Amino acid sequence: MKNKRQAEILRIIESVDVETQEQLLSELERCGIHSTQATISRDIKELHLVKELTGYGSYKYAVSERKLSKNFAGRLRNIFKEGVTSFDRAQNIVVVKTMPGLAAAAGAALDGMEIPDMVGSLAGDDTVILIMRTNEAAAEFCAEIHTMLK
């Protein structure tokens, strides 16, 4: 339920200028999702939503530009600490090796990170394959992984 609600919140703030938590609650109710102000407040914090100025002088909720780097770094460190054994790339493909049975979890976490230029992923038992848009994107992602493992 939480994932569905948070996904709907992200969809709403992309399509509607939401200025208040009350307005967000109303939009969620229109979609058939009932919640409380306290829950919405926690969702806003977890999703790293911020208020940004619109062209009309009012404010609206938006995803923080820093969200990607914060979530990316923290989640990736946790994944690697828990079971990634190696990584490498071949052109635009990044291969991440894990301990047996952990590839699906690592792949799901990587998918949830909204990695720029990642087209998709495929996970087996101990291997995750990430398809990046370009060779350069794969190299940049591997460099980021390398930096985090230091």
Side-chain angles (χ1 to χ4, degrees):
M1 183 64 161
K2 177 181 175 179
N3 290 338
K4 179 181 177 189
R5 183 182 63 248
Q6 288 186 350
E8 192 62 29
I9 288 171
L10 292 173
R11 189 198 63 74
I12 289 169
I13 66 168
E14 284 187 23
S15 60
V16 178
D17 286 351
V18 177
E19 296 181 36
T20 65
Q21 291 182 11
E22 293 78 19
Q23 184 183 357
L24 185 55
L25 276 169
S26 295
E27 293 291 332
L28 284 170
E29 296 240 348
R30 283 190 204 129
C31 299
I33 297 174
H34 304 286
S35 191
T36 65
Q37 186 274 330
T39 300
I40 296 304
S41 183
R42 281 189 297 274
D43 288 339
I44 288 169
K45 184 176 180 179
E46 288 178 19
L47 293 169
H48 300 279
L49 301 183
V50 295
K51 285 199 171 183
E52 68 178 23
L53 189 61
T54 67
Y56 306 106
S58 60
Y59 288 87
K60 69 174 186 169
Y61 281 106
V63 177
S64 169
E65 293 297 320
R66 295 178 5 168
K67 175 195 174 209
L68 296 178
S69 63
K70 283 170 120 176
N71 282 349
F72 179 77
R75 286 184 178 174
L76 194 55
R77 261 189 227 103
N78 288 338
I79 291 167
F80 277 73
K81 286 179 186 176
E82 295 299 321
V84 170
T85 58
S86 66
F87 66 94
D88 202 353
R89 73 177 179 94
Q91 295 183 358
N92 69 319
I93 297 172
V94 177
V95 178
V96 179
K97 299 293 279 181
T98 70
M99 293 172 56
L102 296 180
L110 289 163
D111 282 342
M113 286 184 217
E114 300 175 20
I115 299 167
D117 294 318
M118 185 174 84
V119 177
S121 67
L122 180 64
D125 182 58
D126 65 354
T127 305
V128 181
I129 296 174
L130 305 172
I131 294 91
M132 306 302 284
R133 205 162 294 289
T134 65
N135 296 354
E136 294 77 22
E140 288 173 15
F141 183 68
C142 284
E144 184 72 27
I145 293 170
H146 182 70
T147 300
M148 296 184 122
L149 288 176
K150 285 184 179 180

